[in-house]
Amino acid sequence: MRTQVAIIGSGPAGLLLGQLLTNAGIDNIILDRVSKDYILGRVRAGVLEEGMVDMLDRAGAGERMHREGLPHDGFSLAFDGRDHRIDLFGLTGRRVMVYGQTELTHDLMDKREASGGSSVYEATNVTPHDFDGAGPYVTYEKDGVTHRIDCDFIAGCDGYHGVSRKSVPESALKSYERIYPFGWLGILAEVPPVCHELIYANHPRGFALCSMRSHTRSRYYIQCALDEKIEDWSDDRFYDELRRRLPAEHAESMVTGPSFEKSIAPLRSFVAEPMRFGKLFLVGDAAHIVPPTGAKGLNLAASDVYYLFDGLLGYYADKSSAGIDAYSERALKRVWRAVRFSWSMTTMLHRFPDTGEFGQKIQEAELDYLVSSKAASTALAENYVGLPY
């Protein structure tokens, strides 16, 4: 087979890039090692920056998001037993959209199918070849048969554990990593959210987050030790602990119900540089991971797609390689700003086991300054709604 761009990975990054290319008349094929149903069963993020909303609209896949998504003009920082609202729209003129990653993935898959885009699911042993030369290609196996796709470029949108980054020689990569000494225990439940906006709570017992996926589906998290076991946490125990970390008004009004998903996620910051190796480009989680505190993981994947699509469009439409040559530098500049913001939010809101009472006092002082200074609140709001591409 022959295509212009081979895309490895059918998550939001790969699907978004594929749809933008298809709309522009640039031929592409998406490969994924798992099934379509498996991808749609993954529970992921749900807070979208305006930049990502615009990208979905540009792809022609934003109709249901605008109909069913929840625009949010602010969020709450809870500490000292009280709520302190950050007025995102009032401070920046912009807002975020709450819309589950599973839903937008479904929308992008439907759009791809309707527009005739080619996707191969359950493709095993997907491998990029010769991306440092003039003739890159990708091989994969399907139903016991080995296939080869010759292409101009390869987009690695296959996540942190994918084959794309692993195919790059170690000597060509420089990685930066920070492992945090705690995790997030999270649940999904078909119950109305405790508040119409997100609540980020700093409490002596640890961090908590009250989020949602819809008016009837809530996503709740609490900070926990890395050695905690899911089976030790009944729903009742989780809700009891969550209530302890929230202001009384929210703890008393919370509606509880059985969870249908429960997991413990470790937190890390990770960046691999550069993000281009000849004809291979790393996109999204294949190149960087951020702790979910700042809601930046999915949104960073969208900005990577923006820069890569811009470069590929220039290459095919204008015969210019300037955009693809600048891809890594442009993407990484925004990546590191989001990594910094995610790190700062994580540091400000979680309890670290080794900082003691001094660290707690510093957190309290930082939070107090943040909510009492318009300049500090504006800086937080600008980063939260998303820096410009």
Side-chain angles (χ1 to χ4, degrees), residues 13 159-160 165 176 268-273 275 282-291 296-305 327 331-332 334-336 338-339:
Y160 179 80
R165 191 181 71 255
Y176 304 84
R268 63 151 46 97
S269 298
F270 171 84
V271 181
E273 295 187 1
M275 292 171 60
L282 301 182
V283 182
D285 287 0
H288 42 74
I289 299 286
V290 291
K296 293 302 170 202
L298 177 60
N299 291 296
L300 274 184
S303 63
D304 290 350
V305 168
Y327 166 70
L332 282 169
R334 195 173 191 277
V335 165
W336 275 111
V339 169

PDB file of all heavy atoms in Angstrom, residues 13 159-160 165 176 268-273 275 282-291 296-305 327 331-332 334-336 338-339:
ATOM      1  N   ALA A  13      -5.441  12.031  19.297  1.00  0.00           N
ATOM      2  CA  ALA A  13      -4.413  12.710  18.500  1.00  0.00           C
ATOM      3  C   ALA A  13      -4.373  12.166  17.083  1.00  0.00           C
ATOM      4  O   ALA A  13      -4.384  12.925  16.106  1.00  0.00           O
ATOM      5  CB  ALA A  13      -3.049  12.567  19.172  1.00  0.00           C
ATOM      6  N   GLY A 159       0.940   6.929  22.033  1.00  0.00           N
ATOM      7  CA  GLY A 159       1.021   6.982  23.485  1.00  0.00           C
ATOM      8  C   GLY A 159       2.383   6.659  24.071  1.00  0.00           C
ATOM      9  O   GLY A 159       3.340   6.310  23.370  1.00  0.00           O
ATOM     10  N   TYR A 160       2.443   6.774  25.381  1.00  0.00           N
ATOM     11  CA  TYR A 160       3.700   6.614  26.115  1.00  0.00           C
ATOM     12  C   TYR A 160       4.312   5.233  25.916  1.00  0.00           C
ATOM     13  O   TYR A 160       5.534   5.076  25.828  1.00  0.00           O
ATOM     14  CB  TYR A 160       3.437   6.872  27.603  1.00  0.00           C
ATOM     15  CG  TYR A 160       4.657   6.706  28.481  1.00  0.00           C
ATOM     16  CD1 TYR A 160       5.604   7.723  28.573  1.00  0.00           C
ATOM     17  CD2 TYR A 160       4.857   5.546  29.228  1.00  0.00           C
ATOM     18  CE1 TYR A 160       6.723   7.576  29.383  1.00  0.00           C
ATOM     19  CE2 TYR A 160       5.971   5.397  30.032  1.00  0.00           C
ATOM     20  CZ  TYR A 160       6.900   6.415  30.104  1.00  0.00           C
ATOM     21  OH  TYR A 160       8.004   6.278  30.898  1.00  0.00           O
ATOM     22  N   ARG A 165       8.056   6.004  19.779  1.00  0.00           N
ATOM     23  CA  ARG A 165       9.228   6.515  20.493  1.00  0.00           C
ATOM     24  C   ARG A 165      10.256   5.415  20.717  1.00  0.00           C
ATOM     25  O   ARG A 165      11.475   5.657  20.676  1.00  0.00           O
ATOM     26  CB  ARG A 165       8.820   7.143  21.826  1.00  0.00           C
ATOM     27  CG  ARG A 165       9.965   7.919  22.492  1.00  0.00           C
ATOM     28  CD  ARG A 165       9.593   8.527  23.835  1.00  0.00           C
ATOM     29  NE  ARG A 165       9.441   7.535  24.885  1.00  0.00           N
ATOM     30  CZ  ARG A 165       8.288   7.133  25.377  1.00  0.00           C
ATOM     31  NH1 ARG A 165       7.170   7.643  24.902  1.00  0.00           N
ATOM     32  NH2 ARG A 165       8.230   6.228  26.323  1.00  0.00           N
ATOM     33  N   TYR A 176      13.312  13.742  30.079  1.00  0.00           N
ATOM     34  CA  TYR A 176      13.228  14.430  31.360  1.00  0.00           C
ATOM     35  C   TYR A 176      12.029  13.851  32.097  1.00  0.00           C
ATOM     36  O   TYR A 176      10.947  13.711  31.524  1.00  0.00           O
ATOM     37  CB  TYR A 176      13.027  15.931  31.162  1.00  0.00           C
ATOM     38  CG  TYR A 176      14.081  16.592  30.306  1.00  0.00           C
ATOM     39  CD1 TYR A 176      13.982  16.573  28.911  1.00  0.00           C
ATOM     40  CD2 TYR A 176      15.175  17.232  30.876  1.00  0.00           C
ATOM     41  CE1 TYR A 176      14.943  17.193  28.116  1.00  0.00           C
ATOM     42  CE2 TYR A 176      16.134  17.852  30.092  1.00  0.00           C
ATOM     43  CZ  TYR A 176      16.017  17.820  28.713  1.00  0.00           C
ATOM     44  OH  TYR A 176      16.967  18.424  27.935  1.00  0.00           O
ATOM     45  N   ARG A 268       3.138  11.462  36.977  1.00  0.00           N
ATOM     46  CA  ARG A 268       4.501  11.724  36.511  1.00  0.00           C
ATOM     47  C   ARG A 268       4.499  12.869  35.526  1.00  0.00           C
ATOM     48  O   ARG A 268       3.501  13.171  34.869  1.00  0.00           O
ATOM     49  CB  ARG A 268       5.102  10.485  35.847  1.00  0.00           C
ATOM     50  CG  ARG A 268       4.364  10.026  34.584  1.00  0.00           C
ATOM     51  CD  ARG A 268       5.293   9.319  33.576  1.00  0.00           C
ATOM     52  NE  ARG A 268       6.154   8.347  34.136  1.00  0.00           N
ATOM     53  CZ  ARG A 268       5.930   7.032  34.158  1.00  0.00           C
ATOM     54  NH1 ARG A 268       4.809   6.559  33.649  1.00  0.00           N
ATOM     55  NH2 ARG A 268       6.814   6.208  34.660  1.00  0.00           N
ATOM     56  N   SER A 269       5.647  13.529  35.416  1.00  0.00           N
ATOM     57  CA  SER A 269       5.933  14.470  34.338  1.00  0.00           C
ATOM     58  C   SER A 269       7.029  13.849  33.486  1.00  0.00           C
ATOM     59  O   SER A 269       8.030  13.353  34.021  1.00  0.00           O
ATOM     60  CB  SER A 269       6.411  15.820  34.884  1.00  0.00           C
ATOM     61  OG  SER A 269       5.427  16.430  35.682  1.00  0.00           O
ATOM     62  N   PHE A 270       6.847  13.856  32.168  1.00  0.00           N
ATOM     63  CA  PHE A 270       7.815  13.228  31.266  1.00  0.00           C
ATOM     64  C   PHE A 270       7.824  13.987  29.953  1.00  0.00           C
ATOM     65  O   PHE A 270       6.776  14.313  29.403  1.00  0.00           O
ATOM     66  CB  PHE A 270       7.448  11.764  31.016  1.00  0.00           C
ATOM     67  CG  PHE A 270       8.271  11.099  29.939  1.00  0.00           C
ATOM     68  CD1 PHE A 270       9.508  10.552  30.233  1.00  0.00           C
ATOM     69  CD2 PHE A 270       7.812  11.045  28.631  1.00  0.00           C
ATOM     70  CE1 PHE A 270      10.270   9.960  29.246  1.00  0.00           C
ATOM     71  CE2 PHE A 270       8.560  10.451  27.628  1.00  0.00           C
ATOM     72  CZ  PHE A 270       9.802   9.900  27.939  1.00  0.00           C
ATOM     73  N   VAL A 271       9.023  14.286  29.456  1.00  0.00           N
ATOM     74  CA  VAL A 271       9.175  14.910  28.145  1.00  0.00           C
ATOM     75  C   VAL A 271      10.346  14.264  27.433  1.00  0.00           C
ATOM     76  O   VAL A 271      11.424  14.086  28.017  1.00  0.00           O
ATOM     77  CB  VAL A 271       9.424  16.434  28.241  1.00  0.00           C
ATOM     78  CG1 VAL A 271       9.550  17.046  26.835  1.00  0.00           C
ATOM     79  CG2 VAL A 271       8.312  17.128  29.016  1.00  0.00           C
ATOM     80  N   ALA A 272      10.143  13.895  26.162  1.00  0.00           N
ATOM     81  CA  ALA A 272      11.208  13.382  25.309  1.00  0.00           C
ATOM     82  C   ALA A 272      11.496  14.406  24.220  1.00  0.00           C
ATOM     83  O   ALA A 272      10.579  14.897  23.563  1.00  0.00           O
ATOM     84  CB  ALA A 272      10.810  12.047  24.685  1.00  0.00           C
ATOM     85  N   GLU A 273      12.769  14.719  24.047  1.00  0.00           N
ATOM     86  CA  GLU A 273      13.180  15.684  23.022  1.00  0.00           C
ATOM     87  C   GLU A 273      14.194  15.033  22.084  1.00  0.00           C
ATOM     88  O   GLU A 273      15.004  14.226  22.528  1.00  0.00           O
ATOM     89  CB  GLU A 273      13.819  16.913  23.669  1.00  0.00           C
ATOM     90  CG  GLU A 273      12.894  17.732  24.530  1.00  0.00           C
ATOM     91  CD  GLU A 273      13.566  19.021  25.006  1.00  0.00           C
ATOM     92  OE1 GLU A 273      14.741  19.271  24.636  1.00  0.00           O
ATOM     93  OE2 GLU A 273      12.929  19.774  25.743  1.00  0.00           O
ATOM     94  N   MET A 275      11.029  16.031  19.052  1.00  0.00           N
ATOM     95  CA  MET A 275       9.791  15.345  18.691  1.00  0.00           C
ATOM     96  C   MET A 275       9.731  14.994  17.205  1.00  0.00           C
ATOM     97  O   MET A 275       8.706  14.549  16.705  1.00  0.00           O
ATOM     98  CB  MET A 275       8.584  16.199  19.090  1.00  0.00           C
ATOM     99  CG  MET A 275       8.411  16.318  20.603  1.00  0.00           C
ATOM    100  SD  MET A 275       7.148  17.516  21.134  1.00  0.00           S
ATOM    101  CE  MET A 275       5.666  16.873  20.376  1.00  0.00           C
ATOM    102  N   LEU A 282       6.725  12.534  16.686  1.00  0.00           N
ATOM    103  CA  LEU A 282       6.036  12.092  17.894  1.00  0.00           C
ATOM    104  C   LEU A 282       4.956  13.110  18.241  1.00  0.00           C
ATOM    105  O   LEU A 282       5.186  14.322  18.186  1.00  0.00           O
ATOM    106  CB  LEU A 282       7.009  11.950  19.054  1.00  0.00           C
ATOM    107  CG  LEU A 282       8.171  10.973  18.861  1.00  0.00           C
ATOM    108  CD1 LEU A 282       9.017  10.900  20.124  1.00  0.00           C
ATOM    109  CD2 LEU A 282       7.675   9.590  18.461  1.00  0.00           C
ATOM    110  N   VAL A 283       3.786  12.604  18.612  1.00  0.00           N
ATOM    111  CA  VAL A 283       2.635  13.460  18.884  1.00  0.00           C
ATOM    112  C   VAL A 283       1.973  13.019  20.184  1.00  0.00           C
ATOM    113  O   VAL A 283       1.772  11.827  20.422  1.00  0.00           O
ATOM    114  CB  VAL A 283       1.602  13.380  17.733  1.00  0.00           C
ATOM    115  CG1 VAL A 283       0.425  14.312  17.997  1.00  0.00           C
ATOM    116  CG2 VAL A 283       2.250  13.710  16.393  1.00  0.00           C
ATOM    117  N   GLY A 284       1.629  13.981  21.042  1.00  0.00           N
ATOM    118  CA  GLY A 284       0.886  13.664  22.260  1.00  0.00           C
ATOM    119  C   GLY A 284       1.689  12.853  23.254  1.00  0.00           C
ATOM    120  O   GLY A 284       2.886  13.090  23.468  1.00  0.00           O
ATOM    121  N   ASP A 285       1.020  11.871  23.875  1.00  0.00           N
ATOM    122  CA  ASP A 285       1.641  11.101  24.953  1.00  0.00           C
ATOM    123  C   ASP A 285       2.854  10.300  24.492  1.00  0.00           C
ATOM    124  O   ASP A 285       3.628   9.821  25.323  1.00  0.00           O
ATOM    125  CB  ASP A 285       0.624  10.128  25.560  1.00  0.00           C
ATOM    126  CG  ASP A 285      -0.414  10.837  26.418  1.00  0.00           C
ATOM    127  OD1 ASP A 285      -0.332  12.070  26.540  1.00  0.00           O
ATOM    128  OD2 ASP A 285      -1.310  10.159  26.958  1.00  0.00           O
ATOM    129  N   ALA A 286       3.048  10.135  23.201  1.00  0.00           N
ATOM    130  CA  ALA A 286       4.256   9.477  22.720  1.00  0.00           C
ATOM    131  C   ALA A 286       5.500  10.293  23.074  1.00  0.00           C
ATOM    132  O   ALA A 286       6.598   9.745  23.183  1.00  0.00           O
ATOM    133  CB  ALA A 286       4.186   9.274  21.211  1.00  0.00           C
ATOM    134  N   ALA A 287       5.315  11.603  23.276  1.00  0.00           N
ATOM    135  CA  ALA A 287       6.445  12.488  23.552  1.00  0.00           C
ATOM    136  C   ALA A 287       6.418  13.103  24.937  1.00  0.00           C
ATOM    137  O   ALA A 287       7.456  13.520  25.448  1.00  0.00           O
ATOM    138  CB  ALA A 287       6.488  13.618  22.517  1.00  0.00           C
ATOM    139  N   HIS A 288       5.243  13.157  25.573  1.00  0.00           N
ATOM    140  CA  HIS A 288       5.179  13.852  26.865  1.00  0.00           C
ATOM    141  C   HIS A 288       3.974  13.389  27.679  1.00  0.00           C
ATOM    142  O   HIS A 288       2.927  13.054  27.143  1.00  0.00           O
ATOM    143  CB  HIS A 288       5.113  15.372  26.667  1.00  0.00           C
ATOM    144  CG  HIS A 288       4.208  15.807  25.553  1.00  0.00           C
ATOM    145  ND1 HIS A 288       2.832  15.786  25.647  1.00  0.00           N
ATOM    146  CD2 HIS A 288       4.470  16.254  24.305  1.00  0.00           C
ATOM    147  CE1 HIS A 288       2.298  16.214  24.516  1.00  0.00           C
ATOM    148  NE2 HIS A 288       3.267  16.496  23.680  1.00  0.00           N
ATOM    149  N   ILE A 289       4.175  13.378  28.987  1.00  0.00           N
ATOM    150  CA  ILE A 289       3.133  13.038  29.959  1.00  0.00           C
ATOM    151  C   ILE A 289       3.123  14.139  31.017  1.00  0.00           C
ATOM    152  O   ILE A 289       4.179  14.603  31.460  1.00  0.00           O
ATOM    153  CB  ILE A 289       3.415  11.684  30.645  1.00  0.00           C
ATOM    154  CG1 ILE A 289       3.454  10.548  29.615  1.00  0.00           C
ATOM    155  CG2 ILE A 289       2.380  11.411  31.734  1.00  0.00           C
ATOM    156  CD1 ILE A 289       2.106  10.145  29.078  1.00  0.00           C
ATOM    157  N   VAL A 290       1.944  14.569  31.422  1.00  0.00           N
ATOM    158  CA  VAL A 290       1.836  15.532  32.520  1.00  0.00           C
ATOM    159  C   VAL A 290       0.879  14.967  33.559  1.00  0.00           C
ATOM    160  O   VAL A 290      -0.038  14.211  33.230  1.00  0.00           O
ATOM    161  CB  VAL A 290       1.328  16.909  32.041  1.00  0.00           C
ATOM    162  CG1 VAL A 290       2.369  17.609  31.191  1.00  0.00           C
ATOM    163  CG2 VAL A 290       0.023  16.775  31.277  1.00  0.00           C
ATOM    164  N   PRO A 291       1.062  15.321  34.840  1.00  0.00           N
ATOM    165  CA  PRO A 291       0.067  14.925  35.836  1.00  0.00           C
ATOM    166  C   PRO A 291      -1.273  15.568  35.494  1.00  0.00           C
ATOM    167  O   PRO A 291      -1.318  16.675  34.936  1.00  0.00           O
ATOM    168  CB  PRO A 291       0.635  15.454  37.155  1.00  0.00           C
ATOM    169  CG  PRO A 291       1.614  16.515  36.757  1.00  0.00           C
ATOM    170  CD  PRO A 291       2.151  16.110  35.428  1.00  0.00           C
ATOM    171  N   LYS A 296      -4.032  19.053  31.182  1.00  0.00           N
ATOM    172  CA  LYS A 296      -3.284  19.447  29.988  1.00  0.00           C
ATOM    173  C   LYS A 296      -2.929  18.303  29.042  1.00  0.00           C
ATOM    174  O   LYS A 296      -2.541  18.560  27.890  1.00  0.00           O
ATOM    175  CB  LYS A 296      -1.979  20.156  30.395  1.00  0.00           C
ATOM    176  CG  LYS A 296      -2.194  21.489  31.058  1.00  0.00           C
ATOM    177  CD  LYS A 296      -2.978  22.420  30.168  1.00  0.00           C
ATOM    178  CE  LYS A 296      -3.422  23.680  30.891  1.00  0.00           C
ATOM    179  NZ  LYS A 296      -4.554  24.331  30.256  1.00  0.00           N
ATOM    180  N   GLY A 297      -3.029  17.051  29.448  1.00  0.00           N
ATOM    181  CA  GLY A 297      -2.560  15.960  28.605  1.00  0.00           C
ATOM    182  C   GLY A 297      -3.218  15.916  27.241  1.00  0.00           C
ATOM    183  O   GLY A 297      -2.554  15.961  26.194  1.00  0.00           O
ATOM    184  N   LEU A 298      -4.530  15.822  27.211  1.00  0.00           N
ATOM    185  CA  LEU A 298      -5.279  15.769  25.965  1.00  0.00           C
ATOM    186  C   LEU A 298      -5.118  17.064  25.178  1.00  0.00           C
ATOM    187  O   LEU A 298      -4.987  17.054  23.941  1.00  0.00           O
ATOM    188  CB  LEU A 298      -6.749  15.505  26.264  1.00  0.00           C
ATOM    189  CG  LEU A 298      -7.728  15.488  25.089  1.00  0.00           C
ATOM    190  CD1 LEU A 298      -7.355  14.404  24.085  1.00  0.00           C
ATOM    191  CD2 LEU A 298      -9.154  15.271  25.591  1.00  0.00           C
ATOM    192  N   ASN A 299      -5.089  18.175  25.864  1.00  0.00           N
ATOM    193  CA  ASN A 299      -4.975  19.463  25.185  1.00  0.00           C
ATOM    194  C   ASN A 299      -3.599  19.659  24.556  1.00  0.00           C
ATOM    195  O   ASN A 299      -3.480  20.295  23.503  1.00  0.00           O
ATOM    196  CB  ASN A 299      -5.281  20.589  26.178  1.00  0.00           C
ATOM    197  CG  ASN A 299      -6.742  20.599  26.594  1.00  0.00           C
ATOM    198  OD1 ASN A 299      -7.623  20.823  25.780  1.00  0.00           O
ATOM    199  ND2 ASN A 299      -7.010  20.326  27.865  1.00  0.00           N
ATOM    200  N   LEU A 300      -2.566  19.115  25.177  1.00  0.00           N
ATOM    201  CA  LEU A 300      -1.242  19.180  24.563  1.00  0.00           C
ATOM    202  C   LEU A 300      -1.186  18.347  23.291  1.00  0.00           C
ATOM    203  O   LEU A 300      -0.519  18.719  22.318  1.00  0.00           O
ATOM    204  CB  LEU A 300      -0.171  18.694  25.551  1.00  0.00           C
ATOM    205  CG  LEU A 300       0.404  19.717  26.515  1.00  0.00           C
ATOM    206  CD1 LEU A 300       1.517  19.079  27.336  1.00  0.00           C
ATOM    207  CD2 LEU A 300       0.930  20.936  25.774  1.00  0.00           C
ATOM    208  N   ALA A 301      -1.872  17.206  23.292  1.00  0.00           N
ATOM    209  CA  ALA A 301      -1.933  16.395  22.077  1.00  0.00           C
ATOM    210  C   ALA A 301      -2.568  17.201  20.946  1.00  0.00           C
ATOM    211  O   ALA A 301      -2.123  17.135  19.786  1.00  0.00           O
ATOM    212  CB  ALA A 301      -2.723  15.114  22.335  1.00  0.00           C
ATOM    213  N   ALA A 302      -3.589  17.990  21.264  1.00  0.00           N
ATOM    214  CA  ALA A 302      -4.250  18.800  20.249  1.00  0.00           C
ATOM    215  C   ALA A 302      -3.325  19.881  19.700  1.00  0.00           C
ATOM    216  O   ALA A 302      -3.314  20.147  18.489  1.00  0.00           O
ATOM    217  CB  ALA A 302      -5.513  19.436  20.821  1.00  0.00           C
ATOM    218  N   SER A 303      -2.527  20.495  20.567  1.00  0.00           N
ATOM    219  CA  SER A 303      -1.617  21.530  20.057  1.00  0.00           C
ATOM    220  C   SER A 303      -0.499  20.909  19.227  1.00  0.00           C
ATOM    221  O   SER A 303      -0.065  21.486  18.220  1.00  0.00           O
ATOM    222  CB  SER A 303      -1.054  22.385  21.200  1.00  0.00           C
ATOM    223  OG  SER A 303      -0.272  21.629  22.098  1.00  0.00           O
ATOM    224  N   ASP A 304      -0.021  19.718  19.588  1.00  0.00           N
ATOM    225  CA  ASP A 304       0.943  19.008  18.744  1.00  0.00           C
ATOM    226  C   ASP A 304       0.359  18.779  17.352  1.00  0.00           C
ATOM    227  O   ASP A 304       1.023  18.994  16.337  1.00  0.00           O
ATOM    228  CB  ASP A 304       1.305  17.652  19.353  1.00  0.00           C
ATOM    229  CG  ASP A 304       2.148  17.753  20.612  1.00  0.00           C
ATOM    230  OD1 ASP A 304       2.630  18.858  20.934  1.00  0.00           O
ATOM    231  OD2 ASP A 304       2.331  16.711  21.274  1.00  0.00           O
ATOM    232  N   VAL A 305      -0.893  18.313  17.328  1.00  0.00           N
ATOM    233  CA  VAL A 305      -1.564  18.071  16.045  1.00  0.00           C
ATOM    234  C   VAL A 305      -1.659  19.370  15.248  1.00  0.00           C
ATOM    235  O   VAL A 305      -1.441  19.386  14.027  1.00  0.00           O
ATOM    236  CB  VAL A 305      -2.961  17.460  16.266  1.00  0.00           C
ATOM    237  CG1 VAL A 305      -3.777  17.472  14.969  1.00  0.00           C
ATOM    238  CG2 VAL A 305      -2.836  16.044  16.804  1.00  0.00           C
ATOM    239  N   TYR A 327       8.498  21.934  13.541  1.00  0.00           N
ATOM    240  CA  TYR A 327       7.495  21.255  14.371  1.00  0.00           C
ATOM    241  C   TYR A 327       7.979  21.015  15.793  1.00  0.00           C
ATOM    242  O   TYR A 327       7.315  21.387  16.770  1.00  0.00           O
ATOM    243  CB  TYR A 327       7.090  19.921  13.731  1.00  0.00           C
ATOM    244  CG  TYR A 327       6.321  19.030  14.681  1.00  0.00           C
ATOM    245  CD1 TYR A 327       5.018  19.355  15.078  1.00  0.00           C
ATOM    246  CD2 TYR A 327       6.900  17.882  15.222  1.00  0.00           C
ATOM    247  CE1 TYR A 327       4.318  18.551  15.967  1.00  0.00           C
ATOM    248  CE2 TYR A 327       6.210  17.072  16.107  1.00  0.00           C
ATOM    249  CZ  TYR A 327       4.923  17.414  16.489  1.00  0.00           C
ATOM    250  OH  TYR A 327       4.235  16.627  17.372  1.00  0.00           O
ATOM    251  N   ALA A 331       6.298  22.822  19.046  1.00  0.00           N
ATOM    252  CA  ALA A 331       5.515  21.993  19.960  1.00  0.00           C
ATOM    253  C   ALA A 331       6.124  21.986  21.356  1.00  0.00           C
ATOM    254  O   ALA A 331       5.413  22.133  22.356  1.00  0.00           O
ATOM    255  CB  ALA A 331       5.402  20.576  19.411  1.00  0.00           C
ATOM    256  N   LEU A 332       7.443  21.831  21.434  1.00  0.00           N
ATOM    257  CA  LEU A 332       8.094  21.716  22.743  1.00  0.00           C
ATOM    258  C   LEU A 332       8.006  23.012  23.548  1.00  0.00           C
ATOM    259  O   LEU A 332       7.949  22.977  24.784  1.00  0.00           O
ATOM    260  CB  LEU A 332       9.551  21.300  22.575  1.00  0.00           C
ATOM    261  CG  LEU A 332       9.772  19.820  22.287  1.00  0.00           C
ATOM    262  CD1 LEU A 332      11.213  19.556  21.865  1.00  0.00           C
ATOM    263  CD2 LEU A 332       9.425  18.971  23.518  1.00  0.00           C
ATOM    264  N   ARG A 334       5.472  24.991  23.759  1.00  0.00           N
ATOM    265  CA  ARG A 334       4.186  24.960  24.447  1.00  0.00           C
ATOM    266  C   ARG A 334       4.125  23.803  25.444  1.00  0.00           C
ATOM    267  O   ARG A 334       3.526  23.926  26.518  1.00  0.00           O
ATOM    268  CB  ARG A 334       3.042  24.848  23.444  1.00  0.00           C
ATOM    269  CG  ARG A 334       1.673  25.168  24.044  1.00  0.00           C
ATOM    270  CD  ARG A 334       0.590  25.201  22.984  1.00  0.00           C
ATOM    271  NE  ARG A 334      -0.643  25.752  23.504  1.00  0.00           N
ATOM    272  CZ  ARG A 334      -1.558  25.061  24.192  1.00  0.00           C
ATOM    273  NH1 ARG A 334      -1.349  23.775  24.442  1.00  0.00           N
ATOM    274  NH2 ARG A 334      -2.657  25.637  24.637  1.00  0.00           N
ATOM    275  N   VAL A 335       4.742  22.675  25.108  1.00  0.00           N
ATOM    276  CA  VAL A 335       4.769  21.525  26.011  1.00  0.00           C
ATOM    277  C   VAL A 335       5.387  21.909  27.346  1.00  0.00           C
ATOM    278  O   VAL A 335       4.823  21.639  28.415  1.00  0.00           O
ATOM    279  CB  VAL A 335       5.544  20.353  25.372  1.00  0.00           C
ATOM    280  CG1 VAL A 335       5.908  19.304  26.426  1.00  0.00           C
ATOM    281  CG2 VAL A 335       4.719  19.714  24.252  1.00  0.00           C
ATOM    282  N   TRP A 336       6.554  22.551  27.308  1.00  0.00           N
ATOM    283  CA  TRP A 336       7.235  22.860  28.564  1.00  0.00           C
ATOM    284  C   TRP A 336       6.469  23.880  29.409  1.00  0.00           C
ATOM    285  O   TRP A 336       6.504  23.825  30.640  1.00  0.00           O
ATOM    286  CB  TRP A 336       8.662  23.344  28.292  1.00  0.00           C
ATOM    287  CG  TRP A 336       9.610  22.192  28.145  1.00  0.00           C
ATOM    288  CD1 TRP A 336      10.247  21.773  27.020  1.00  0.00           C
ATOM    289  CD2 TRP A 336      10.011  21.291  29.185  1.00  0.00           C
ATOM    290  NE1 TRP A 336      11.010  20.666  27.284  1.00  0.00           N
ATOM    291  CE2 TRP A 336      10.892  20.357  28.606  1.00  0.00           C
ATOM    292  CE3 TRP A 336       9.705  21.183  30.538  1.00  0.00           C
ATOM    293  CZ2 TRP A 336      11.478  19.322  29.346  1.00  0.00           C
ATOM    294  CZ3 TRP A 336      10.282  20.154  31.280  1.00  0.00           C
ATOM    295  CH2 TRP A 336      11.156  19.251  30.682  1.00  0.00           C
ATOM    296  N   ALA A 338       3.221  23.978  29.559  1.00  0.00           N
ATOM    297  CA  ALA A 338       2.155  23.186  30.177  1.00  0.00           C
ATOM    298  C   ALA A 338       2.709  22.254  31.242  1.00  0.00           C
ATOM    299  O   ALA A 338       2.058  22.012  32.267  1.00  0.00           O
ATOM    300  CB  ALA A 338       1.419  22.387  29.108  1.00  0.00           C
ATOM    301  N   VAL A 339       3.900  21.727  31.031  1.00  0.00           N
ATOM    302  CA  VAL A 339       4.551  20.898  32.055  1.00  0.00           C
ATOM    303  C   VAL A 339       4.800  21.718  33.317  1.00  0.00           C
ATOM    304  O   VAL A 339       4.567  21.263  34.443  1.00  0.00           O
ATOM    305  CB  VAL A 339       5.873  20.299  31.516  1.00  0.00           C
ATOM    306  CG1 VAL A 339       6.685  19.661  32.644  1.00  0.00           C
ATOM    307  CG2 VAL A 339       5.586  19.271  30.427  1.00  0.00           C
TER     308      VAL A 339
END
